[in-house]
Structure formats: C-alpha cells, structure tokens
Amino acid sequence: MTGLNTAAIYVLQTLGSLYLLIVLLRFILQLVRADFYNPLSQFVVKATQPLLRPLRRIVPGFAGLDLASLVLAILVQMLLMIATLALMGFGIGGVLLNILVWSLIGVTSLFLKVFFFALIVSVILSWVAPGSYNPGAQLVNQLCEPLLSPIRRILPNLGGLDLSPIFAFLALNLLDMLVIGNLAVMTGMPKILSPFM
C-alpha cells in the first residue's frame, strides 16, 4: 500500500466517519426525543435530509423510530468499508455478507460511543456549568437523561451526589468489551475498517 493510498484512506475514514456520526445522531436524537428546535438538532436534520428523504419512501418508521436513518447509517458504514478495502487492494466479491455484519458491529459500536462521550461531556458540564442553557449542553443532557434516569431510580439518594454516570459508564464499557468487541473478533473484522472500535 502506497503513502498516497494511506492518505486517501485517512481522509476517507475521517470525512466518512464524521458523516456517519451525523447520520447516527439523527437516529439517536429521535430515539431520545431531543428538542427538534435546538440549533444543533437542526444542523443534523439539514445535513442528513438530502439522503434520508428518498430513503424514507422505501424504509418507513416503526413505533416512533426513524428506521431510515438507521439504515442510512449502516449503508454509509458499508460504503466506507468497501472503499477502504478497495484502496487497500482487497477484492470485496466474497466478503459482502461479512461487510454487512461488520457494518452492523461498527454502527453499534459508534452508538455506544456517542452515549459514552455524551456522558463524559455531561459530567464535565455538571461541574463547570451546571444548569447551562447552552444549546449544546441542553442536547447533551437530553441524550444522557434516558440512559441515566432508570439508574437513578434504582440507586438510593446520596444527598445530591449523583453516581448514575459511573454505573452508565460501566454498563456501556461492558457492552462494548464483552459484546461488540467479541463479535468483532469472532467475525474476523479488521481493525482498520472501524475507527470507532
């Protein structure tokens, strides 16, 4: 593999992963019922609308879930993997089913990472800017609340000390290590194909 191919893979994965993150955020924001009028939500909607509009004619929503954005995320991940393999000089003829499975693993891993990093940002914001009305802070809190509220109901009240993010971190990391990581190893997923693993 030449230096030019390595640079092309880097650029492709960086830009492709950024768009994949935006598409998956579209699904997650609808999943957690985040504020649609938040400027960051509006950016995500506008960035994904050109590809989602035609896909929604084929893939309808179900039970309030935006399945078209989830399908688009898997398709974007598949295209990234196919392009990466092509730039590395591998044929994709016999591995299309593997690429689909690897795409599902990659999108699931990114899904968990979004919540993991949203929790980190939420914890930091609770220290430096509690109760902030910044659109980013509000969106992060809306992302984390569905994950933290069931844990808060189980944990006893500790007098203002919220330990629910610690248990959420543990759960997300265990899922990532034990389920996603093992699935990636069992299916022979190359590390270079998913920068989120």
Side-chain angles (χ1 to χ4, degrees), residues 112-113 116 166-181:
L112 294 176
K113 296 277 190 284
F116 181 83
I166 294 171
F167 289 95
F169 283 131
L170 285 171
L172 289 172
N173 278 333
L174 285 173
L175 274 173
D176 196 33
M177 286 187 317
L178 299 177
V179 178
I180 304 302

Side-chain angles (χ1 to χ4, degrees), residues 3 6 8 11 39 44 50-51 55 60 75 82 84-86 92 119 122 136 138-139 144 149 154 160 175 179 184:
T6 305
V11 170
V44 169
L51 293 179
L55 192 59
L75 290 174
I82 290 169
T84 301
L85 287 173
I92 58 164
L119 279 170
S122 174
Q138 288 179 338
L139 198 60
C144 294
S149 63
I154 296 169
L175 274 173
V179 178

Side-chain angles (χ1 to χ4, degrees), residues 19-94:
Y19 190 70
L20 175 62
L21 175 64
I22 293 169
V23 171
L24 193 58
L25 273 175
R26 174 82 181 251
F27 174 74
I28 292 171
L29 292 177
Q30 279 195 310
L31 182 69
V32 300
R33 309 280 190 250
D35 180 16
F36 179 76
Y37 296 105
N38 186 306
L40 296 173
S41 297
Q42 287 293 308
F43 165 75
V44 169
V45 167
K46 288 179 182 172
T48 56
Q49 196 63 20
L51 293 179
L52 273 180
R53 185 177 293 128
L55 192 59
R56 281 211 171 104
R57 294 183 190 130
I58 303 167
V59 182
F62 176 75
L65 295 176
D66 184 18
L67 295 182
S69 58
L70 190 57
V71 169
L72 180 60
I74 293 167
L75 290 174
V76 168
Q77 179 72 63
M78 284 181 72
L79 288 174
L80 278 172
M81 288 182 175
I82 290 169
T84 301
L85 287 173
L87 285 170
M88 291 172 66
F90 294 109
I92 58 164

